[in-house]
Amino acid sequence: MTVIISASGLADEIAGPRPPVLLDVRYAPGAPPGRPEYDAGHLPGAVFVDLEAELSGPPGAGGRHPLPDVAAFGAVMRRAGVSAGTPVVVYDGGQGWAAARAWWMLRWTGHQDVRVLDGGLAGWDGPLTAEIPTPGEGDFSPVPDSLPLLDADGAAALARDGLLLDARAAERYRGDVEPLDRVGGHIPGAVSAPTAGNVGPDGRFLPADELAARFRALGVKGDGTGPEVGVYCGSGVSAAHELVALEIAGIPAALYAGSWSEWTADTERPVATGPDPQ
């Protein structure tokens, strides 16, 4: 299954007989919501989806971006015009994290044809519009658990017995800094794998063979003989970017959606600091 689509490929599909539903998920950690940027200009026909209000539940013990209520997410997708048999393309401003979260949410709830615009809006050279679309109601009915999902206990077990990748920046993994959560460090046994290593200088994903080589160097085996793989980050957003990269490389993996923000909300859970155990 294709996971990403180029800007030129998307332009061709938009002009073709079966154009995809477009979702604009612009978001940056700590920045204002992306709606004003969307209002100023977006891909024609794209519907804005708010990561914090519609792709996440209320923050709390489950983390800063826990999964939203499944029924509410389904309603958001139907209002955006998403149907079970309709292709969907998601994009953000270029970092790819928010688009990947939308991709994962749709895939986790059973949609089979959803792709991320490679490079995001930054790589798009086609027309933009300020016109707000009014799509017809879709028929998408979410079926959760269509992709593997980890809770805190599952993440701890995978860090011991499998391979748990930490998608945050290396300095947060080591515990040198922690700008967002209660304490710095990482889940004991997890391996540092920052999302910056998934893309080239242009912000686009590396080719599949290069991604496969990257993950092999981290302990992943793509032939099905290696350990099970899971990914976490600060709050379950950038980890979805890592899952896109793993899927491009042909490697199945699970998401720990609560991630570090949920893990550290419980002061009884252990915290490791320092360099990668490998």
Side-chain angles (χ1 to χ4, degrees):
M1 179 185 298
T2 304
V3 188
I4 55 176
I5 185 171
S6 67
S8 60
L10 178 57
D12 289 343
E13 290 199 10
I14 290 173
R18 192 167 175 253
V21 170
L22 301 176
L23 303 181
D24 184 313
V25 201
R26 273 178 274 184
Y27 165 82
R35 180 72 197 219
E37 294 180 352
Y38 167 84
D39 288 340
H42 50 267
L43 269 66
V47 175
F48 181 72
V49 177
D50 189 312
L51 184 142
E52 293 196 323
E54 298 174 320
L55 298 181
S56 307
R64 284 183 283 109
H65 293 112
L67 298 185
D69 175 80
V70 171
F73 171 73
V76 168
M77 292 297 102
R78 288 191 293 274
R79 286 198 300 271
V82 176
S83 291
T86 305
V88 179
V89 173
V90 295
Y91 70 89
D92 57 24
Q95 189 176 38
W97 294 2
R101 171 70 170 227
W103 168 86
W104 186 87
M105 282 296 308
L106 278 163
R107 290 288 311 281
W108 180 67
T109 52
H111 201 292
Q112 295 299 309
D113 191 354
V114 53
R115 290 160 293 170
V116 173
L117 175 59
D118 197 15
L121 193 62
W124 176 259
D125 58 4
L128 298 177
T129 181
E131 182 179 350
I132 307 301
T134 54
E137 184 86 0
D139 65 12
F140 178 63
S141 181
V143 180
D145 299 319
S146 297
L147 289 179
L149 177 66
L150 298 170
D151 59 13
D153 290 341
L158 204 57
R160 291 191 307 267
D161 305 324
L163 182 62
L164 184 65
L165 302 178
D166 186 318
R168 298 172 300 158
E171 59 268 24
R172 291 184 68 192
Y173 170 91
R174 293 191 302 265
D176 299 345
V177 298
E178 181 43 65
L180 298 171
D181 294 312
R182 184 183 64 81
V183 64
H186 57 270
I187 297 173
V191 173
S192 181
T195 56
N198 298 329
V199 299
D202 60 359
R204 293 179 173 86
F205 282 97
L206 298 174
D209 58 344
E210 293 184 28
L211 287 171
R214 180 197 185 207
F215 292 121
R216 280 198 302 270
L218 294 169
V220 176
K221 291 186 178 180
D223 59 3
T225 65
E228 293 184 20
V229 180
V231 187
Y232 77 99
C233 58
S235 64
V237 176
S238 65
H241 188 278
E242 196 99 292
L243 289 167
V244 171
L246 284 158
E247 180 122 341
I248 293 169
I251 300 164
L255 173 68
Y256 173 27
S259 285
W260 188 243
S261 56
E262 179 190 49
W263 183 269
T264 56
D266 183 344
T267 58
E268 297 298 315
R269 293 192 182 110
V271 169
T273 57
D276 196 307
Q278 293 186 345

